[in-house]
C-alpha cells in the first residue's frame, strides 16, 4: 500500500511539472521578467530562470493529494507545517533574487533568519551520535547554530553547483531518490519525497542540455532546503548519523567545489560570496567538453557517490570509514583525470601566488565598483567605453578591443612581445566581445607604480586571467543595466532615463590621464 501511494505521488509530481513548465515558458516568452545578466552565467540565451515555480506547484499538488487520500498524515508528522512554510519562504527569497538581484550578504542574512525560524518551530538537531560508537551527545545550546549551519549550508550547496544545464536538478533527483529509501525505513515524508522525485524527473526533461528552463535561485534554494529538512527529520533529529551522512556522499561534488571556491577566493582577497567562472564545471567546459558531456561526466561521478550513500544506509553507518576512503580515492582519480586540477596539489606555490595577488585584486575590485556606478551615470555606451579603457589602463592592460553590434573600438599603447591575450564573448556576444592583452614578461615584476608597474605585475598569467575576468564582469554589470536596453548593445546607444553626470572633485578627464601618464596611443 505504501509503495502504491509513493508511486501515485510520483506520478502527480511528474504530471504537475509537465503541465506547468510549458505555461511558464509561454508567460516568459515576452521577456518581461528577465533578470539583468550576470558574469558567471555561461549561457547568453534568454532562458527563463523560473523553473522553481513548477517544482513548488508540484510540491503543493502532491501535498494536497496526500491530504485528500490520507488525512491522518498531518497528525502523524508534526513537523509538516514547518517544512511547508520554510520551503515556500526559501523559494520566495530565491525567486525575488531571480527577478531582482539582492546581493550575497542580504540573501545569507534572510536564509539564516528562515533557518532560525525552523529551529524555533522544533525542527532541530538536538542530539548527535558519535560516528562508529554508541555514544550520544546532547547538543543543548549548540543545537541552534548546528541546525542553522546544516540548513543554510545544504541550501547553498545546490545553488552553487547550478552552473550547467541539468546539473543541479540531476544531482537533486539522485538525493531525493536516496531520501525516498530513508522515508520508507523511517516512515517520514516518503510520499512527499516520492512526489518531488517524480517532479524532478519531469523537470529534467526540460532542463537537460540544451535547457529550455532553469531552476533559478528560487528552485535551487527550495530543493536545497527540502533535502536538508528531509534528511534532518529522517535522522530523528541527529540521533541516526548514517541518515545525515548519506546525502553528503551524493553531494560530494558540490561540497568539494564549494570548499575550493571559498579557499580560492579567500586567499586571493576576493569576496567569498562573489560568483565566478572557476567552478569545476566551468573548467570542464573550457577543456573542450560540451555542456551535455560535462553534465553526463558529473552524473557518472555522482552515481558512484549515490551508491556509497545507499551503502552507508544499508550498513547503518558501519561502512562509513571504508566509504570515506573510497570517496577520497574517487576524488583523487577524478582530479588526476582533470588536467586543470594539477595546480591544486602545488599548495605552497598556490598559497604564495594567491597572497601576492591580494593587493592588485583589491585595487581592481575598487575600479570595478566605480565602473558599475558609471553604468548608471553615463549618457551613452560610447562614454562607458571610455571609462572601461581608463580602468583597463590602471589595471595594467595595454590593449583593449570592444566589439558591439554597430562597430568596434580599439585602444592600445606600445606593446612588447610576448603578450597574454584573452577574448570574452559576453553572453554569446549579445553584450559585446571584449579582447584584452597585457605584457607576458617584465624586468622587475611587482616593482614600480602607475601603468608601467602595473604592466610588470600582469606578467603573471594567473593574475592576468583574474584581472581580465574582473574587467569583463565589470563591463557586463555596467552595460547590462535596464536603462541601456536588453541588447544587443551599440556604441551609439543612449541611456534612458538620462541621469545628470556630476563631476568628481579633482578627477582628471580620461585624455588628461593619458597625457600625464605618457601613454602612447589614445582611445579611438
Amino acid at each position: 500500500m505504501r509503495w502504491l501511494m509513493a508511486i501515485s505521488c510520483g506520478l502527480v509530481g511528474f504530471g504537475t511539472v509537465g503541465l506547468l513548465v510549458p505555461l511558464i515558458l509561454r508567460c516568459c516568452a515576452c521577456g518581461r521578467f528577465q533578470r539583468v545578466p550576470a558574469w558567471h552565467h555561461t549561457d547568453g540565451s534568454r532562458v527563463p530562470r523560473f523553473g522553481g515555480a513548477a517544482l513548488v506547484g508540484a510540491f503543493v499538488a502532491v501535498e494536497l493529494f496526500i491530504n485528500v487520500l490520507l488525512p491522518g498524515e498531518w497528525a502523524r508528522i508534526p513537523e509538516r507545517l514547518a517544512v511547508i512554510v520554510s520551503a515556500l519562504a526559501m523559494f520566495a527569497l530565491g525567486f525575488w533574487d531571480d527577478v531582482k538581484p539582492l546581493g550575497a550578504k542580504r540573501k545569507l542574512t534572510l536564509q539564516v533568519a528562515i533557518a532560525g525560524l525552523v529551529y524555533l518551530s522544533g525542527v532541530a538537531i538536538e542530539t548527535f551520535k558519535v560516528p562508529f560508537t554508541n555514544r550520544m551527545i546532547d547538543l543543548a545550546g549548540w543545537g541552534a547554530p548546528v541546525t542553522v549551519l546544516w540548513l543554510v549550508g545544504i541550501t547553498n550547496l545546490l545553488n552553487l553547483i547550478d552552473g550547467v544545464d541539468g546539473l543541479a536538478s540531476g544531482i537533486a533527483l539522485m538525493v531525493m531518490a536516496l531520501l525516498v529509501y530513508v522515508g520508507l525505513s523511517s516512515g517520514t515524508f516518503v510520499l512527499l519525497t516520492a512526489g518531488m522525485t517524480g517532479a524532478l524527473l519531469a523537470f529534467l526533461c526540460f532542463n537537460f542540455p540544451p535547457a529550455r528552463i532553469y531552476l533559478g535561485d528560487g528552485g535551487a534554494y527550495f530543493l536545497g532546503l527540502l533535502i536538508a529538512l528531509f534528511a534532518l527529520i529522517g535522522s530523528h533529529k541527529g540521533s541516526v548519523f548514517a541518515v545525515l551522512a548519506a546525502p553528503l556522499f551524493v553531494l560530494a561534488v558540490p561540497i568539494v567545489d564549494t570548499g575550493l571556491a571559498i579557499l580560492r577566493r579567500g586567499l586571493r582577497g576576493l569576496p567569498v560570496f562573489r560568483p565566478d567562472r572557476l567552478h569545476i564545471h566551468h573548467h570542464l567546459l573550457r577543456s573542450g567538453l560540451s555542456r551535455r558531456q560535462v553534465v553526463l561526466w558529473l552524473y557518472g561521478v555522482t552515481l558512484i557517490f549515490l551508491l556509497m550513500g545507499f551503502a552507508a544506509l544499508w550498513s547503518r553507518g558501519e561502512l562509513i570509514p571504508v566509504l570515506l576512503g573510497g570517496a577520497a580515492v574517487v576524488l583523487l582519480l577524478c582530479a588526476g583525470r582533470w588536467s586543470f586540477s594539477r595546480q591544486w596539489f602545488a599548495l605552497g606555490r598556490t598559497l604564495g601566488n594567491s597572497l601576492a595577488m591580494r593587493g592588485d585584486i583589491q585595487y581592481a575590485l575598487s575600479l570595478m565598483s566605480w565602473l558599475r556606478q558609471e553604468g548608471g551615470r553615463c549618457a551613452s555606451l560610447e562614454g562607458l567605453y571610455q571609462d572601461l579603457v581608463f580602468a583597463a589602463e590602471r589595471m595594467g592592460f595595454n590593449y583593449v578591443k570592444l566589439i558591439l553590434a554597430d562597430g568596434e573600438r580599439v585602444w592600445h599603447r606600445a606593446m612588447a612581445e610576448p603578450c597574454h591575450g584573452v577574448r570574452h564573448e559576453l553572453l554569446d556576444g549579445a553584450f559585446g566581445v571584449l579582447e584584452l592583452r597585457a605584457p607576458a614578461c617584465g624586468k622587475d615584476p611587482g616593482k614600480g607604480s602607475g601603468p608601467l608597474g602595473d604592466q610588470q605585475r600582469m606578467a603573471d598569467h594567473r593574475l592576468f586571467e583574474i584581472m581580465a575576468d574582473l574587467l569583463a564582469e565589470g563591463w557586463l554589470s555596467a552595460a547590462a543595466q535596464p536603462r541601456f536596453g536588453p541588447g544587443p548593445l551599440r556604441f551609439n546607444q543612449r541611456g534612458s532615463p538620462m541621469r545628470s553626470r556630476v563631476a568628481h572633485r579633482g578627477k582628471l578627464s580620461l585624455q588628461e590621464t593619458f597625457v600625464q601618464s605618457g601613454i602612447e596611443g589614445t582611445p579611438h
Side-chain angles (χ1 to χ4, degrees), residues 121-136:
S121 72
V123 180
I125 301 177
E126 299 170 346
T127 58
F128 181 74
K129 182 181 179 181
V130 179
F132 326 126
T133 70
N134 291 321
R135 184 185 174 191
M136 299 294 297

Side-chain angles (χ1 to χ4, degrees), residues 173-409:
L173 174 62
M174 297 182 205
V175 181
M176 282 293 176
L178 181 70
L179 292 172
V180 171
Y181 177 80
V182 171
L184 287 171
S185 59
S186 66
T188 57
F189 289 110
V190 61
L191 301 182
L192 200 50
T193 52
M196 293 310 300
T197 302
L200 281 165
L201 189 60
F203 182 77
L204 200 56
C205 297
F206 299 93
N207 188 229
F208 193 76
R212 296 170 58 192
I213 192 168
Y214 292 149
L215 274 176
D217 286 352
Y221 288 167
F222 173 72
L223 289 173
L225 186 65
L226 280 184
I227 289 170
L229 287 170
F230 290 157
L232 191 159
I233 296 170
S235 70
H236 299 288
K237 301 184 179 180
S239 61
V240 182
F241 176 73
V243 177
L244 286 179
L248 296 181
F249 277 102
V250 191
L251 294 170
V253 172
I255 290 171
V256 171
D257 192 35
T258 302
L260 290 173
I262 292 173
L263 182 62
R264 176 178 68 244
R265 296 166 190 168
L267 289 176
R268 292 175 176 177
L270 292 165
V272 173
F273 298 106
R274 173 188 174 269
D276 59 29
R277 286 185 170 185
L278 296 175
H279 290 283
I280 291 174
H281 48 271
H282 291 130
H283 284 296
L284 291 173
L285 286 171
R286 281 195 291 271
S287 70
L289 297 179
S290 67
R291 291 175 179 274
R292 182 167 294 188
Q293 288 173 326
V294 169
V295 169
L296 291 176
W297 216 100
L298 293 175
Y299 278 180
V301 175
T302 304
L303 277 172
I304 297 174
F305 289 115
L306 175 63
L307 295 176
M308 291 183 180
F310 276 113
L313 291 173
W314 290 330
S315 67
R316 298 183 180 180
E318 293 181 4
L319 289 178
I320 287 181
V322 176
L323 295 172
L324 287 174
V329 171
V330 171
L331 291 173
L332 288 173
L333 289 174
C334 291
R337 176 67 176 81
W338 299 328
S339 58
F340 61 82
S341 65
R342 293 171 187 169
Q343 58 181 308
W344 299 344
F345 299 99
L347 297 179
R349 185 177 61 188
T350 301
L351 178 62
N353 291 339
S354 297
L355 293 177
M357 296 176 186
R358 290 179 67 90
D360 297 302
I361 291 174
Q362 290 295 318
Y363 179 62
L365 287 172
S366 65
L367 283 173
M368 293 308 97
S369 177
W370 168 79
L371 184 61
R372 282 192 294 270
Q373 293 180 35
E374 287 296 288
R377 297 160 56 87
C378 283
S380 68
L381 285 175
E382 184 73 50
L384 188 60
Y385 164 74
Q386 302 291 332
D387 292 327
L388 173 72
V389 170
F390 173 79
E393 180 266 327
R394 299 310 304 167
M395 293 168 69
F397 294 99
N398 56 12
Y399 178 90
V400 177
K401 180 179 180 180
L402 181 66
I403 304 173
L404 299 184
D406 60 343
E408 65 181 46
R409 301 288 185 273

Side-chain angles (χ1 to χ4, degrees), residues 88-219:
L88 293 179
M90 195 66 79
F91 165 75
L93 171 61
F95 188 84
W96 185 5
D97 186 62
D98 286 327
V99 176
K100 182 178 180 181
L102 294 174
K105 293 182 179 178
R106 186 180 299 176
K107 285 190 292 185
L108 182 62
T109 300
L110 292 173
Q111 287 174 354
V112 170
I114 294 172
L117 292 176
V118 171
Y119 173 80
L120 293 176
S121 72
V123 180
I125 301 177
E126 299 170 346
T127 58
F128 181 74
K129 182 181 179 181
V130 179
F132 326 126
T133 70
N134 291 321
R135 184 185 174 191
M136 299 294 297
I137 298 177
D138 186 359
L139 294 177
W142 288 100
V146 170
T147 301
V148 170
L149 180 63
W150 171 263
L151 296 176
V152 174
I154 299 298
T155 297
N156 284 285
L157 276 177
L158 204 63
N159 186 51
L160 288 171
I161 202 67
D162 188 21
V164 180
D165 307 359
L167 182 55
S169 56
I171 292 178
L173 174 62
M174 297 182 205
V175 181
M176 282 293 176
L178 181 70
L179 292 172
V180 171
Y181 177 80
V182 171
L184 287 171
S185 59
S186 66
T188 57
F189 289 110
V190 61
L191 301 182
L192 200 50
T193 52
M196 293 310 300
T197 302
L200 281 165
L201 189 60
F203 182 77
L204 200 56
C205 297
F206 299 93
N207 188 229
F208 193 76
R212 296 170 58 192
I213 192 168
Y214 292 149
L215 274 176
D217 286 352

Side-chain angles (χ1 to χ4, degrees), residues 21 24 29 73 81 83 105 168 217 257 321 329 373 378 405 420 512:
V21 169
I24 294 172
E73 283 290 293
L81 181 61
V83 169
K105 293 182 179 178
D217 286 352
D257 192 35
V329 171
Q373 293 180 35
C378 283
H420 297 307
E512 290 172 329

